[in-house]
Amino acid sequence: MKEVTGGYAGRILSLDLSTGDVEDTPTESYAPLFLGGRGIAAKIYWDEVPPDVSPFDPQNRLIFITGPVTATTGFCGSRWQVCGKSPLHDTFSYCNLGGNWGAQLKRAGYDGLVVSGQAEGPVYLWISNHGVEIRTADHLSGQGAIACRETLKEELGRTVNVVAIGPAGENRVVFALSL
């Protein structure tokens, strides 16, 4: 587990699926000025996404973000958010989620994950103690989110945490959800 100071792990991971580029941004660039994960996500979105970008455009950002209490044992310690321009109403939106995924992202040393670009085919992001990898997900395509999660747990280990979309998300159904 990475050291967390002031409620933050210290880094935001940015991933461009078009180029495969992966980089880190210090959380301290945002945390003193913006309250919690949603505030940081809104600032990243404001800075990086032009207003005329459509929801499915590779220039859009899908932002997975934690807040300063994520991964604590107290109130709201399991909460994290997904933010970006919604295809349902074409404006910046967010979804508040619970569970262990956000805490595990923070324990891996990241307060957030910012995804941009468009991969040539199905991919998934593998974050481990050895680094960050973009891996092919051809074998997962078409599976439901739960089946996808179970397949990855069989391949990578039962303790792995997974956020996945199912066929609705793959087919760009505007009200699709992830698990």
Side-chain angles (χ1 to χ4, degrees):
M1 181 171 148
K2 306 292 183 192
E3 181 179 340
V4 176
T5 57
Y8 292 101
R11 300 180 297 166
I12 297 171
L13 179 65
S14 293
L15 168 68
D16 184 331
L17 294 174
S18 296
T19 64
D21 291 341
V22 177
E23 63 181 52
D24 289 351
T25 302
T27 307
E28 67 188 23
S29 302
Y30 302 100
L33 300 173
F34 301 95
L35 183 61
R38 190 180 328 152
I40 292 171
K43 175 62 172 159
I44 291 169
Y45 187 85
W46 179 266
D47 288 346
E48 296 185 14
V49 181
D52 59 342
V53 166
S54 68
F56 293 120
D57 190 298
Q59 283 186 284
N60 193 14
R61 301 293 188 268
L62 187 60
I63 305 167
F64 299 78
I65 195 85
T66 66
V69 297
T70 305
T72 65
T73 57
F75 176 69
C76 294
S78 69
R79 307 311 293 176
W80 56 282
Q81 311 230 349
V82 178
C83 306
K85 184 175 273 189
S86 168
L88 188 58
H89 47 74
D90 200 39
T91 60
F92 178 80
S93 188
Y94 63 90
C95 176
N96 189 306
L97 299 118
N100 203 28
W101 191 87
Q104 293 304 322
L105 181 67
K106 186 171 278 188
R107 289 184 181 118
Y110 299 103
D111 294 304
L113 167 63
V114 180
V115 182
S116 64
Q118 182 174 345
E120 290 186 24
V123 295
Y124 70 92
L125 180 65
W126 170 242
I127 302 172
S128 71
N129 292 335
H130 306 291
V132 176
E133 298 175 48
I134 301 170
R135 295 183 172 181
T136 183
D138 290 331
H139 67 297
L140 302 170
S141 187
Q143 291 188 15
I146 294 170
C148 177
R149 182 186 68 209
E150 290 306 311
T151 299
L152 287 172
K153 285 179 169 282
E154 287 174 20
E155 292 175 14
L156 304 170
R158 298 305 301 168
T159 60
V160 168
N161 285 270
V162 177
V163 173
I165 61 170
E170 288 179 31
N171 291 299
R172 297 182 174 185
V173 173
V174 297
F175 52 86
L177 300 172
S178 65
L179 175 69

